[in-house]
């Protein structure tokens, strides 16, 4: 997931820098140099964001329940009354 997020961010930055360079009227050599540097920076930044997202998802998923433990759906609900 982290590499996929990094690749997507890198390609978005690459295309945005090419379009911005063409719009600014820069030379093709300068456009390519800046776009490739943006590609690497976007890949690293997106990889870090994907890694953090993967950790957040992994930490918030419920742990698998072993078959030895009773399931919550199989037990009867407990009703507490206040007297």
């Amino acid at each position: 997931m982290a590499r996929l997020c990094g690749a997507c961010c890198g390609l978005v930055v690459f295309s945005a820098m090419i379009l911005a360079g063409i719009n600014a009227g820069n030379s093709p050599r300068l456009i390519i140099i800046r776009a490739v540097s943006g590609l690497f920076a976007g890949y690293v930044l997106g990889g870090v964001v994907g890694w953090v997202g993967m950790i957040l998802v992994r930490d918030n998923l419920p742990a698998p329940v072993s078959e030895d433990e009773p399931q919550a759906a199989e037990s009867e609900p407990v009703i507490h009354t206040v007297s």
Side-chain angles (χ1 to χ4, degrees), residues 44-71:
V44 170
L45 182 64
V48 169
V49 169
W51 177 70
V52 169
M54 191 170 54
I55 289 174
L56 288 174
V57 168
R58 186 181 60 209
D59 287 348
N60 290 316
L61 285 177
V65 179
S66 68
E67 294 184 20
D68 297 335
E69 297 177 19
Q71 296 288 327

Side-chain angles (χ1 to χ4, degrees), residues 9-43:
C9 288
L11 289 174
V12 167
V13 170
F14 181 77
S15 61
M17 292 189 81
I18 286 179
L19 291 175
I22 290 171
N23 192 28
N26 293 335
S27 68
R29 183 172 185 254
L30 183 62
I31 292 172
I32 296 298
I33 290 172
R34 287 183 180 173
V36 169
S37 64
L39 173 71
F40 289 124
Y43 179 75

